[in-house]
Amino acid sequence: MSNYKIALIRGDGIGPEVVNEAVRVMEQVGARFGHSFTFEDVLMGGCATDAVGKSYPDGTAERCKACDAVLLGAVGGPKWGSDRPAYERPETALLAIRKDLGLYANLRPAMLRPALAEASPLKKETAQAGIDLMMVRELTGGIYFGKRDKYRTEDRGLEATDLMAYSELEIERIGRRAFELAMLRRKKVTSVDKANVLETSRLWRATMHRLAKEYPEVTYEDMLVDNCAMQIVRNPGQFDVVVTENMFGDILSDEASMVTGSIGLLPSASIGDTAPGLYEPIHGSAPDIAGQDKADPIATILSVAMMFRYSFGLAQEADAVETAVDAVLAQGWHTADIAGAADKLVGTKEMGRLICEAIGG
Ligand code: IPM
Ligand code: MG
């Protein structure tokens, strides 16, 4: 019997609703496998701005660090837009927590779940070939964290710059994660860069080539980012692990999730060299449906499965959650984001209950 302490960042919009269901799933898994969970609420995001005037209240990172893992619902919304100062914007909090917890590796699996092959916007033949790729996005470096500037020039008006910098250390540690993951999967790594233009990409590529020699069992390839964007819609079945820098990963991971037709179903994990890791659905806070019991809790529930697998080494428990989700979807139950029979349409809470029931215990 073990006890795990989980920080819950419920956040904004549909965040609190989907986190509630994920908590029920954790408790169900605990009952079946003999674990217990203690939950600690941590305020962050637009709700924190409303409550205390800052999206990332003092002590947020410390409170998370006192836990074994962090589960985040969603933060953000039009109410806290770019007209607000940085410290009031939810995105600032997201970037800060990534940096403060050292979460340099962002794992975003894009998988076409068997029960949902019809939901993919891809051509039938392409979708039938299956999609099961793992996007490994560098999360604490590059242009997201480089020096920014804005100044007035003499003859061209205002000018702004964002610096993209990468060190060998940063590239090597994310690369290693990708190769290690590939060893547990189909043993293929595609490293995505823009080495025909960018110096950071040339360093990226040289470092990846060095690493590839340490993993002779892994098939390695380089791919330029523009080509990768095209290949994800042309033939996503070719990818196993895709590793790339922060901004390319931001863009490509949205694209990869969309071709599975189910952005409401996709989880993610952000991890570093030390606990806690942070787990969250890929989707946003969907303020238009917040508080209406309409949101799909599956992406958050699958994020819990990733937490079990990557933070706690509980593979069986992770499998139990994923199997339960697949079983419920295969029976035709769905929330409004997924097409299906009208008499099998359920709300957030009922979806959570069905998944708990399928986990059993
Ligand atoms: C994501 C989001 C964030 C990012 C935004 C909200 C800052 O798009 O997690 O992909 O760009 O990293
Ligand atoms: Mg994004």
Side-chain angles (χ1 to χ4, degrees):
M1 168 104 190
S2 30
N3 181 270
Y4 299 96
K5 194 168 171 197
I6 317 285
L8 298 178
I9 301 177
R10 298 171 189 271
D12 308 316
I14 59 172
E17 293 166 76
V18 293
V19 167
N20 272 342
E21 298 318 305
V23 165
R24 283 169 62 180
V25 163
M26 280 192 255
E27 281 169 344
Q28 187 71 37
V29 169
R32 177 169 156 195
F33 292 90
H35 307 296
S36 64
F37 299 97
T38 310
F39 300 103
E40 158 101 8
D41 268 296
V42 175
L43 189 66
M44 188 186 108
C47 54
T49 301
D50 289 350
V52 302
K54 306 177 184 176
S55 62
Y56 192 63
D58 301 343
T60 302
E62 289 66 30
R63 297 181 64 192
C64 291
K65 282 182 190 166
C67 296
D68 300 308
V70 183
L71 182 68
L72 189 153
V75 299
K79 187 177 169 195
W80 309 280
S82 52
D83 51 328
R84 298 260 198 151
Y87 63 87
E88 290 186 6
R89 292 202 299 268
E91 292 76 15
T92 306
L94 261 187
L95 298 191
I97 199 160
R98 288 171 182 171
K99 197 70 168 180
D100 288 348
L101 299 183
L103 307 173
Y104 63 83
N106 182 215
L107 314 185
R108 297 187 166 187
M111 196 174 158
L112 188 57
R113 305 201 89 80
L116 297 173
E118 300 285 302
S120 170
L122 295 176
K123 276 200 200 140
K124 216 168 164 195
E125 313 84 83
T126 316
Q128 265 163 359
I131 305 175
D132 181 7
L133 71 84
M134 177 69 86
M135 186 76 67
V136 178
R137 168 187 176 193
E138 200 292 324
L139 201 60
T140 54
I143 200 164
Y144 271 60
F145 291 93
K147 193 169 175 301
R148 308 189 194 298
D149 210 352
K150 191 163 124 190
Y151 45 87
R152 185 162 295 282
T153 61
E154 266 178 25
D155 49 351
R156 302 182 307 282
L158 281 173
E159 192 167 280
T161 63
D162 296 277
L163 182 72
M164 166 128 107
Y166 267 109
S167 65
E168 275 181 301
L169 181 146
E170 288 173 303
I171 301 167
E172 204 176 304
R173 66 184 181 182
I174 190 73
R176 213 168 273 292
R177 287 279 179 174
F179 281 99
E180 295 290 338
L181 275 168
M183 288 298 289
L184 303 172
R185 294 172 47 103
R186 301 194 308 279
K187 297 196 168 76
K188 181 173 176 192
V189 168
T190 305
S191 168
V192 176
D193 62 35
K194 189 72 185 170
N196 52 350
V197 178
L198 302 178
E199 199 56 46
T200 42
S201 281
R202 287 188 278 270
L203 181 62
W204 181 280
R205 195 175 273 208
T207 309
M208 289 292 168
H209 285 193
R210 207 160 15 80
L211 269 181
K213 293 204 185 88
E214 290 181 39
Y215 297 86
E217 278 177 62
V218 175
T219 306
Y220 174 87
E221 67 180 357
D222 300 305
M223 193 176 278
L224 293 172
V225 62
D226 47 350
N227 183 28
C228 183
M230 183 179 79
Q231 295 298 334
I232 286 173
V233 286
R234 198 184 72 89
N235 174 18
Q238 71 184 287
F239 295 113
D240 178 18
V241 173
V242 178
V243 61
T244 191
E245 67 89 33
N246 205 341
M247 188 162 66
F248 296 162
D250 177 45
I251 299 167
L252 294 177
S253 63
D254 267 29
E255 189 192 11
S257 62
M258 189 58 222
V259 298
T260 69
S262 54
I263 192 159
L265 299 190
L266 296 175
S268 76
S270 302
I271 51 192
D273 290 327
T274 51
L278 182 146
Y279 298 83
E280 62 179 314
I282 295 244
H283 61 67
S285 60
D288 52 319
I289 57 162
Q292 299 172 34
D293 193 43
K294 281 188 184 161
D296 192 338
I298 290 180
T300 314
I301 290 170
L302 291 173
S303 300
V304 165
M306 290 190 91
M307 178 192 294
F308 290 162
R309 182 167 283 122
Y310 296 111
S311 275
F312 305 151
L314 300 175
Q316 252 191 314
E317 288 79 347
D319 286 345
V321 173
E322 287 163 357
T323 306
V325 167
D326 278 334
V328 169
L329 289 172
Q331 287 159 21
W333 298 110
H334 61 97
T335 43
D337 52 312
I338 288 166
D343 62 336
K344 293 225 150 172
L345 174 65
V346 294
T348 312
K349 290 192 183 125
E350 180 59 11
M351 181 55 89
R353 194 195 64 76
L354 285 164
I355 293 168
C356 286
E357 190 178 83
I359 291 168

